[in-house]
Amino acid sequence: MSAAAGVRAGDVIGPTVEPAISRAHREEWARLVAGLARRFGDLDVAEEAAAEAFAAAAQRWPGEGVPPNPGGWLATTAIRKALDRLRRESQRDAKHQAAQILYDDSPPESTGPVEDDRLRLVFTCCHPALALEARVALTLRLLGGLTVAEIARAFLVQETTMARRITRAKAKIKAARIPYRVPRADDIHERLVGVLAVVYLVFNEGYLASDGGEAVRVNLTDEAIRLGRLLRALLPGDGEVTGLLALMLLTDARRPARVSRTGELVTLDEQDRGAWDQALIAEGRALIRERVEVVAAGGDPPGRYQLQAAINTVHLDVPSARDTDWSTIVALYGRLVRLDPSPIVRLNRAVAVAEVDGPGVGLAEIDRLAEALDGYHAFHAARADLLRRLGRSADARAAYDRAINLAGNPAERAYLTRRRDQLAG
C-alpha cells in the first residue's frame, strides 16, 4: 500500500507532512486495522475506516500540523469513520451497541490463547473455509498493508486476478458469518500452515520489497519477526514455528550488508560478513540446534521452514562465500523439493546445482521451469548469470533485460543493470 493509504485522487500532501504520513502508515496500519476488526468484527469496515483515517490525515495535517500522537489521532478518526458508516447503513443494533465499547476505558476481556490483535487478525483471515492462497492474500492486504499489485507479484499472478481473489475472500467471510475471534486452542494447528505462510511472505516483502522506492521495508521484516516470536511463545514445541523464526532471524541478520551505500543490491557472495548481525545469528543458530536435538531424539522430521533455515546456516557457517559447502546445500534442497516441489524451490535448487556441477547443468534445470516462471524476475536473473558464466553474452544480455523489466525493487534493478552493462560486447 502506498505511504498515504486511502488518499483519494486530488488530495495534496505537503512535503513536510508526507514523511509523517508515511511513517504513521508503516508503524500504525496493521495495529489500526487489527484493532478495528476486533472491535467491530467486520474486515471491510476495519480496512475502509483505516483508509479513510489516512485520507483525513492527508487533508488536515498540512493545515493543522502533525499531531503529537499520530497513532492515537488515526485511531480516533478511524473509529468515528467506522461509526458513521454503520449509522449510514442502519446497522445500529448489535454492531452499533458493540461499537460503544470503543469509548470504554476498562481493559478488554480475555479473547483466548492469542492475545495480540495483529496475530489474532492473521488467525481470523486464515480460516479453513478459505482457500490457502486466499487466506495468505487477504492477510497480506489487511495486516501487511500491501497493495494488490505487490501481493500479485508475490503469487506470480495478474493484479486483476488477485483483486478478485481478495474480494471473494472478504465476501465469503461475511456470507459465512465467520467471527473475528481467536480460534479455539485445538483449532490453531488447523490454521497454522496458512499463518506461517502469511508471516513468511510479509517478511519476504520487507526484506526485498517488490515495488516502490524502498529497497527494504524494515517495518515489515520487524513485524514478521515480532509475529514469529509470538507464535513461538504460543506453540513452543512446534518445529515449523521454530524453524520459521530461525529462518527469519538468520536472513534478517544479513540485512545491514544487503544494500550498498549507492542503493544497489549486494548479493550474498559479495556481502561484508563483518556487517552481519551476530546477535540474530546466534539466536537463529540456537533455535536450529534445538530442532536438531529434537529430531535426533525421535521427533518429527524437519519441514520446509526448518530446511530453509538449515540452508541459511550453511551459508553463515563459513568465513567467505568461496568456502560454502554447496553439496550440502544441494542435498538440503533435494529434501525441500520433496516437501515443496514448487517452481521457485526448484529454481533455488538449480542455482545450487550450478555451483556443484557447473553452469551448464544448472541452466538446463532452470530452463525446464521457463513456462512456470517466465513472469518471475529472479528466474531470468538466474539464467542471465549462468549464461554469462558460459560466455553467451548476447543471450545473457537478453535475460538481464527481461529481469530488469520485471523487477520492481530499485536496488535489484540497479544491480542487474550493472551486471548487464559489464557484459563483453
Side-chain angles (χ1 to χ4, degrees):
M1 181 167 288
S2 65
V7 177
R8 299 177 178 84
D11 288 342
V12 178
I13 306 176
T16 60
V17 172
E18 185 172 4
I21 293 180
S22 297
R23 183 170 57 255
H25 182 263
R26 289 194 303 269
E27 296 174 356
E28 302 296 341
W29 173 264
R31 184 182 295 108
L32 185 60
V33 171
L36 291 167
R38 174 170 61 84
R39 297 293 188 176
F40 288 92
D42 189 305
L43 299 180
D44 277 327
V45 169
E47 184 182 8
E48 291 182 18
E52 288 179 1
F54 277 96
Q59 293 171 344
R60 294 175 54 183
W61 290 6
E64 300 176 4
V66 178
N69 180 5
W73 189 98
L74 289 164
T76 300
T77 302
I79 289 166
R80 290 172 179 162
K81 297 291 185 182
L83 288 171
D84 287 345
R85 172 177 171 167
L86 293 179
R87 292 189 188 101
R88 287 195 305 269
E89 295 177 356
S90 300
Q91 295 177 343
R92 292 181 174 88
D93 303 330
K95 281 186 178 179
H96 194 176
Q97 292 172 15
Q100 301 310 310
I101 66 172
L102 289 161
Y103 299 104
D104 183 357
D105 292 332
S106 60
E109 61 184 54
S110 174
T111 50
V114 180
E115 297 293 341
D116 180 82
D117 271 352
R118 284 164 285 182
L119 186 57
R120 195 182 305 117
L121 178 60
V122 176
F123 273 100
T124 299
C125 292
C126 290
H127 193 280
L130 303 176
L132 178 59
E133 286 190 346
R135 302 177 207 175
V136 176
L138 181 60
T139 313
L140 288 172
R141 175 73 174 135
L142 294 176
L143 182 81
L146 275 63
T147 65
V148 175
E150 290 165 345
I151 301 169
R153 287 191 186 93
F155 281 89
L156 305 181
V157 300
Q158 296 294 319
E159 184 175 347
T160 52
T161 301
M162 184 53 64
R164 289 194 297 269
R165 192 174 294 173
I166 292 173
T167 299
R168 286 197 299 267
K170 291 167 73 175
K172 188 164 188 176
I173 285 178
K174 182 173 290 187
R177 299 183 182 277
I178 295 172
Y180 177 78
R181 63 169 175 80
V182 68
R184 295 185 300 273
D186 55 353
D187 292 332
I188 285 179
H189 288 280
E190 184 181 15
R191 305 189 191 184
L192 188 58
V193 171
V195 170
L196 294 177
V198 165
V199 173
Y200 190 40
L201 279 173
V202 170
F203 177 84
N204 281 337
E205 179 60 31
Y207 191 66
L208 192 65
S210 62
D211 201 0
E214 295 178 285
V216 177
R217 296 182 180 179
V218 178
N219 63 303
L220 291 182
T221 57
D222 286 352
E223 176 67 8
I225 290 173
R226 190 188 72 85
L227 292 173
R229 294 189 191 281
L230 288 172
L231 285 168
R232 162 85 171 161
L234 182 68
L235 301 166
D238 189 283
E240 283 294 80
V241 170
T242 300
L244 175 57
L245 178 57
L247 172 60
M248 293 189 295
L249 292 171
L250 294 172
T251 304
D252 200 48
R254 303 196 303 268
R255 176 160 48 89
R258 180 73 161 159
V259 180
S260 72
R261 293 181 179 179
T262 60
E264 182 180 316
L265 177 72
V266 182
T267 55
L268 180 60
D269 59 316
E270 297 179 335
Q271 288 178 11
D272 174 11
R273 297 184 174 222
W276 290 352
D277 189 323
Q278 295 302 316
L280 291 182
I281 291 174
E283 184 180 358
R285 280 175 171 158
L287 293 173
I288 291 298
R289 284 195 299 271
E290 174 189 311
R291 292 309 308 163
V292 169
E293 291 171 2
V294 170
V295 172
D300 292 335
R304 56 177 298 200
Y305 297 114
Q306 295 169 77
L307 289 171
Q308 289 183 75
I311 290 168
N312 269 266
T313 62
V314 177
H315 285 295
L316 294 167
D317 284 344
V318 291
S320 67
R322 64 177 174 269
D323 299 315
T324 303
D325 184 354
W326 286 104
S327 295
T328 296
I329 290 176
V330 170
L332 288 169
Y333 268 123
R335 297 177 65 180
L336 184 57
V337 166
R338 289 194 289 273
L339 291 176
D340 178 14
S342 68
I344 292 178
V345 172
R346 290 160 61 197
L347 172 64
N348 290 331
R349 181 186 179 277
V351 171
V353 166
E355 299 297 329
V356 175
D357 297 327
V361 177
L363 181 63
E365 290 205 12
I366 286 177
D367 282 344
R368 297 189 189 103
L369 305 171
E371 183 176 355
L373 295 179
D374 183 60
Y376 183 42
H377 74 280
F379 165 77
H380 296 283
R383 285 194 77 247
D385 181 64
L386 297 183
L387 289 165
R388 176 189 60 79
R389 290 163 61 182
L390 289 167
R392 296 167 56 181
S393 295
D395 292 336
R397 184 178 299 276
Y400 275 123
D401 285 340
R402 178 71 170 145
I404 293 166
N405 183 57
L406 291 170
N409 186 280
E412 201 161 14
R413 287 198 304 270
Y415 165 75
L416 293 169
T417 300
R418 178 175 63 82
R419 296 291 281 176
R420 180 199 62 189
D421 294 346
Q422 289 174 339
L423 289 169

